[in-house]
Amino acid sequence: MEFSAPLKNGFTIYSKSGCYNCIKVKTLLAEAKYEFVVIDCDDYLFEDKEGFLLFIKERAKKEH
């Protein structure tokens, strides 16, 4: 499975439905009038959770 890469400029939010932190950051960015893209991670996590978490770890340079 190929995962959507983050934007080179601006904000990319990898969001999971019902996630309080995702909702909060989208609200804060919208209120501050920043442009951002939301990528829904639910399908990624369902189909290839380990692969997706590795993808995020490589981009974030951190493990969560």
Side-chain angles (χ1 to χ4, degrees), residues 23-46:
I23 294 166
K24 185 77 173 168
V25 75
K26 288 185 277 188
T27 301
L28 290 171
L29 289 172
E31 287 174 354
K33 305 221 186 302
Y34 286 108
E35 291 187 31
F36 59 93
V37 170
V38 177
I39 298 174
D40 184 352
C41 298
D42 290 343
D43 288 339
Y44 293 153
L45 292 169
F46 180 74

Side-chain angles (χ1 to χ4, degrees), residues 2-61:
E2 192 168 326
F3 306 113
S4 298
L7 297 174
K8 293 186 190 248
N9 297 312
F11 297 96
T12 302
I13 302 169
Y14 288 90
S15 181
K16 186 177 173 211
S17 59
C19 172
Y20 172 78
N21 293 318
C22 299
I23 294 166
K24 185 77 173 168
V25 75
K26 288 185 277 188
T27 301
L28 290 171
L29 289 172
E31 287 174 354
K33 305 221 186 302
Y34 286 108
E35 291 187 31
F36 59 93
V37 170
V38 177
I39 298 174
D40 184 352
C41 298
D42 290 343
D43 288 339
Y44 293 153
L45 292 169
F46 180 74
E47 291 184 31
D48 185 6
K49 182 177 182 177
E50 287 186 34
F52 180 67
L53 294 177
L54 180 60
F55 167 81
I56 292 296
K57 178 182 173 183
E58 289 171 351
R59 270 128 197 94
K61 309 288 190 243

